[in-house]
Amino acid sequence: MTKARLFSGMQPSADSLHAGNYIGALLQWREMQRDYDAVFCVVDMHAITVPQDPASLREQTRRTAAQYIAAGIDPESSTLYVQSHVPAHAQLAWVLNTITGFGEASRMTQFKDKSLRYGADATTLGLFAYPTLMAADILLYNADAVPVGEDQKQHVELTRDLANRFNTRFGETFVVPEPVILSDTARIYDLQNPTSKMSKSAESDNGVLWLLDDPKRTAKKIKSAATDSEREIRFDRGEKPGVSNLLTILSAFTGEAVTALEQRFAGRGYGDLKGEVADAVVAEFAPIRERALELLADPAELDRLLAGNAERATAMAERTLAEVYERVGF
Ligand code: ADP
Ligand code: NA
């Protein structure tokens, strides 16, 4: 039996991924790649929809790919490549632009958010067309399943609409993908401001657990995490966001259910909890960090590996693109 196809990607928008990206995306990708024919992309063409420094972008693209591999994405059994290495993404996106309504694109909330965040001068056609490029990413590979965070759900809905529209207008061509919404229980919050998501663009570095942080620094950040003035270790997002976040992280890394953790920590202090969280995170991240740094120490080998994967991706993508071109009359 052939496996269903999965497509997912992340932007190379920081030097390191953080615990939110790891728990909310990478961990789940690593599990899913066994059951799916998985395609994972570092979406550098999406990254340039907001201003980027070229040298940093190139470096962050390599670093992101290295962290995918170090975290267990297998570049042999899965396809792991860089978006700009496969020109078919831009080519299909152009065709999709011509069947996308200006009005429907205008309803995308990410565009509204980002254009407010980056200001009028940085609000480009590229930013506006982000969702059709994302649709092309998905449709080129005939993906059945697309794991995304809640914030990307609207884009996958648009992708489904475009696939159906194209199929109706030009004949059956695309697989209509299903979003796999990554669970909200896997949402990780900032250690210092535990009501905000852990994010690459956090104001202070102290609240963010970077995959490539030195283990001592990771432990220190966890030990200084914000909690509350009670003593009880109990999961309650509303009243106890800091403690709840620590329980979520520990549960993600040890597999122990949050309710079991609550029982095990009954009568114990926050210091004990933080100690266990620090040990669990360091045990998980330290070997990944080592492996990522090893991969980054040999850029030629990493580039060779990415080029090989881009070739496989190109072969898949070109098949779809050729069919699309034929359908539209090119
Ligand atoms: P991108 O812009 O590349 O999507 P993000 O950093 O917003 O970058 O997200 C990358 C992936 O990591 C997405 O799947 C997103 O849902 C997940 N993610 C990001 N931040 C968190 C978080 N704090 N908790 C859980 N998952 C997260
Ligand atoms: Na995102």
Side-chain angles (χ1 to χ4, degrees), residues 14-32:
D15 280 341
S16 175
L17 299 177
H18 56 65
N21 303 136
Y22 183 75
I23 295 170
L26 271 181
L27 258 184
Q28 320 206 29
W29 293 0
R30 187 167 77 204
E31 290 299 305
M32 293 177 88

Side-chain angles (χ1 to χ4, degrees), residues 2-322:
T2 61
K3 291 179 177 174
R5 176 71 53 76
L6 174 153
F7 179 92
S8 202
M10 251 191 263
Q11 293 191 47
S13 41
D15 280 341
S16 175
L17 299 177
H18 56 65
N21 303 136
Y22 183 75
I23 295 170
L26 271 181
L27 258 184
Q28 320 206 29
W29 293 0
R30 187 167 77 204
E31 290 299 305
M32 293 177 88
Q33 73 178 339
R34 284 193 252 129
D35 301 322
Y36 286 89
D37 173 5
V39 180
F40 297 111
C41 189
V42 180
V43 293
D44 56 346
M45 290 166 66
H46 284 283
I48 64 164
T49 59
V50 296
Q52 298 293 338
D53 170 65
S56 310
L57 179 64
R58 188 170 299 114
E59 176 64 14
Q60 289 171 2
T61 299
R62 269 219 193 85
R63 293 172 81 96
T64 302
Q67 289 170 89
Y68 283 11
I69 299 168
I73 300 301
D74 177 4
E76 305 294 331
S77 66
S78 296
T79 303
L80 188 179
Y81 70 102
V82 176
Q83 188 182 27
S84 64
H85 296 178
V86 180
H89 288 256
Q91 293 171 295
L92 179 58
W94 180 255
V95 175
L96 296 176
N97 281 337
T98 66
I99 65 161
T100 306
F102 185 81
E104 75 185 329
S106 307
R107 285 194 290 276
M108 296 296 118
T109 57
Q110 182 183 271
F111 172 73
K112 293 182 206 169
D113 294 346
K114 286 194 177 174
S115 63
L116 282 176
R117 191 174 348 139
Y118 290 95
D121 288 344
T123 299
T124 61
L125 273 182
L127 184 62
F128 190 63
Y130 185 110
T132 48
L133 179 59
M134 180 166 155
D137 301 341
I138 297 165
L139 298 179
L140 273 178
Y141 298 92
N142 287 313
D144 302 285
V146 187
V148 286
E150 186 65 39
D151 59 323
Q152 294 297 323
K153 194 177 164 200
Q154 195 185 26
H155 290 163
V156 182
E157 291 302 329
L158 178 70
T159 303
R160 290 169 55 83
D161 290 345
L162 295 176
N164 280 315
R165 188 174 306 158
F166 189 95
N167 290 346
T168 305
R169 203 172 290 177
F170 297 101
E172 211 51 46
T173 306
F174 293 126
V175 171
V176 181
E178 291 291 338
V180 178
I181 304 301
L182 297 171
S183 95
D184 203 42
T185 57
R187 179 165 296 188
I188 305 305
Y189 293 84
D190 189 284
L191 296 177
Q192 290 303 323
N193 304 296
T195 52
S196 310
K197 262 180 51 170
M198 188 174 285
S199 159
K200 290 167 187 161
S201 45
E203 267 167 42
S204 155
D205 186 65
N206 293 332
V208 184
L209 294 174
W210 301 108
L211 200 50
L212 299 183
D213 259 348
D214 176 87
K216 285 202 192 78
R217 185 153 171 71
T218 298
K220 193 163 168 227
K221 285 178 179 177
I222 293 166
K223 287 176 181 160
S224 1
T227 49
D228 54 60
S229 56
E230 296 181 6
R231 282 155 186 243
E232 204 187 348
I233 296 178
R234 166 168 64 83
F235 188 92
D236 181 339
R237 274 267 196 252
E239 298 292 319
K240 302 173 75 71
V243 169
S244 302
N245 193 34
L246 291 171
L247 288 169
T248 307
I249 296 171
L250 187 55
S251 172
F253 285 161
T254 60
E256 199 172 347
V258 166
T259 47
L261 289 172
E262 285 174 325
Q263 284 172 15
R264 196 157 64 70
F265 279 100
R268 293 167 63 190
Y270 292 166
D272 280 1
L273 175 62
K274 288 177 172 177
E276 272 202 34
V277 175
D279 290 346
V281 175
V282 167
E284 184 91 2
F285 280 7
I288 295 175
R289 173 177 185 263
E290 294 285 309
R291 178 77 185 114
L293 295 179
E294 247 171 57
L295 287 160
L296 290 167
D298 189 352
E301 173 58 18
L302 182 59
D303 287 350
R304 194 195 56 76
L305 197 141
L306 291 173
N309 273 255
E311 239 174 78
R312 295 212 307 271
T314 299
M316 290 186 248
E318 296 257 310
R319 269 198 298 278
T320 310
L321 185 70

